[in-house]
Amino acid sequence: MKNFEHITLGQRVLFGSGKSAEHLSAEVSRVGASRTMVIASEFERSMAETATAGISPALWWDEVVMHVPVEVAERARAAAVEHDIDLLVCVGGGSTTGLAKAVALATGIPIVAVPTTYAGSEATNVWGMTEERTKTTGVDDKVLPVTVIYDAEFTRSLPVELSVSSGLNALAHCIDSLWAPKADPINQALALEGSRALAAGLAGVAADPNDIDAREETLHGAYLAAVAFASAGSGLHHKICHVLGGTFNLPHAQTHATVLPYVLAFNAPAVPDLAHRLAAALGRPAAGNQDAAQAAVEALNTLRRTLGAPSALIDYGFTADGIPEAVERVLRAVPASNPVTPTEENITGLLTAALHGVTPTAALAAPVEAR
């Protein structure tokens, strides 16, 4: 029997390749904004200029830093107040959207988000900031962008390597949503369809980086992933990556892309039905009497090999010396809903495997200690 409460966040979504300037101009008029602050890093500036061609921003802000350090957020907030800003327009990836959210959290100024990656932050009411090597996250409807403008043309700026990392970050939203604290049949359905779209789209992008149809399919999947994640909440995967990013300053997308298969291998044996459905969504359903968990892990491993995905945390500066502190922090944050009981031993094993890029198998957490 089904028994759950599901919340769908209210948000306007405009999707159309090459239509960002048209859509943004219409949204600025619709919300009645007169003093717009555009948040975009130096790298994102040309895309932001394209998107804002039909409006006259009152302020440009380009100090964007990964993991949103509190001091950076405070400077951006002060500038928004000083210039009497009434609308935030963020054009960029997750760090750019995250900074806009930090400003909105303190000021209540609405956001229109124009994503240029597959990060998905634009579709959630989750914020995150880092202070003293600790990343803190929270949920507040003030940070949910009122409108998201998707223009797949902007994702062409992502090289294949970054497209893969960003897309697998989105896939992590899907997979974590299968067993996160507020997982339910609705967000699981969104997550599985998001997984299908991301797997198909990313394979197309890897084969031809200029394939706009593949870019659109990937962006569509990233949105579904974010909607599922916004409803289901943060699971074990995100708790691990927040520790690795906030405490050890590892790069966001690459860290998510690297850790994802190890968390799937850790949890999948305890949720065979979900594992079976995920394997099918990823395009490699369990064959015959194949174990469902192993099928899901192999499906993800195959996709990652096709994409040339990141495979080892050691490549991004993490070392074995950091594992004890990371394990301690993860165990304090892991949600009670996780399908497998986390322990010092098995989380150490997970991080050690991810550190060295050991090929994940569904026996990673064996013996399974299901809740």
Side-chain angles (χ1 to χ4, degrees), residues 56-350:
S56 299
L59 177 64
W60 286 83
W61 188 268
D62 64 4
E63 187 187 13
V64 176
V65 180
M66 185 173 61
H67 305 305
V68 194
V70 166
E71 60 272 18
V72 174
E74 290 175 346
R75 286 193 288 271
R77 291 165 176 168
V81 172
E82 178 184 353
H83 289 81
D84 196 26
I85 298 301
D86 59 5
L87 181 67
L88 304 169
V89 174
C90 54
V91 183
S95 297
T96 302
T97 307
L99 179 58
K101 288 183 170 187
V103 175
L105 182 67
T107 64
I109 301 171
I111 303 170
V112 172
V114 186
T116 62
T117 72
Y118 308 119
S121 176
E122 68 278 356
T124 79
N125 58 354
V126 178
W127 57 267
M129 284 180 277
T130 302
E131 184 175 23
E132 296 180 352
R133 299 179 67 242
T134 299
K135 185 168 186 176
T136 302
T137 62
V139 175
D140 194 308
D141 286 346
K142 290 199 298 291
V143 309
L144 178 72
V146 295
T147 305
V148 182
I149 296 172
Y150 286 112
D151 185 341
E153 291 287 350
F154 288 148
T155 68
R156 290 184 194 263
S157 69
L158 286 173
V160 170
E161 180 182 356
L162 290 179
S163 294
V164 167
S165 296
S166 183
L168 289 175
N169 177 20
L171 186 58
H173 293 143
C174 292
I175 292 176
D176 230 17
S177 296
L178 297 178
W179 46 62
K182 294 181 287 183
D184 64 44
I186 296 174
N187 49 50
Q188 287 171 343
L190 291 169
L192 290 165
E193 171 58 15
S195 297
R196 183 210 60 77
L198 285 163
L202 285 170
V205 170
D208 179 3
N210 291 314
D211 184 343
I212 196 64
D213 291 334
R215 295 275 183 184
E216 287 186 343
E217 183 75 347
T218 307
L219 202 55
H220 163 229
Y223 171 70
L224 293 177
V227 172
F229 177 67
S231 171
S234 292
L236 173 63
H237 172 87
H238 280 80
K239 299 303 183 183
I240 290 173
C241 291
H242 289 165
V243 168
L244 295 175
T247 303
F248 301 94
N249 201 35
L250 270 61
H252 183 85
Q254 292 89 339
T255 300
H256 280 268
T258 302
V259 170
L260 177 59
Y262 299 98
V263 176
L264 176 60
F266 185 87
N267 276 334
V271 283
D273 178 61
L274 290 172
H276 180 81
R277 294 165 67 191
L278 177 63
L282 294 177
R284 293 180 64 87
N289 294 323
Q290 184 183 19
D291 177 76
Q294 190 58 35
V297 172
E298 288 181 3
L300 181 56
N301 286 344
T302 298
L303 175 64
R304 288 167 50 78
R305 285 194 297 270
T306 299
L307 301 177
S311 60
L313 292 176
I314 198 170
D315 294 336
Y316 300 100
F318 192 55
T319 67
D321 291 343
I323 290 178
E325 181 181 4
V327 170
E328 179 185 355
R329 288 174 176 263
V330 168
L331 289 176
R332 291 203 303 263
V334 65
S337 65
N338 197 67
V340 175
T341 303
T343 65
E344 180 179 350
E345 180 181 7
N346 59 28
I347 297 299
T348 297
L350 187 159

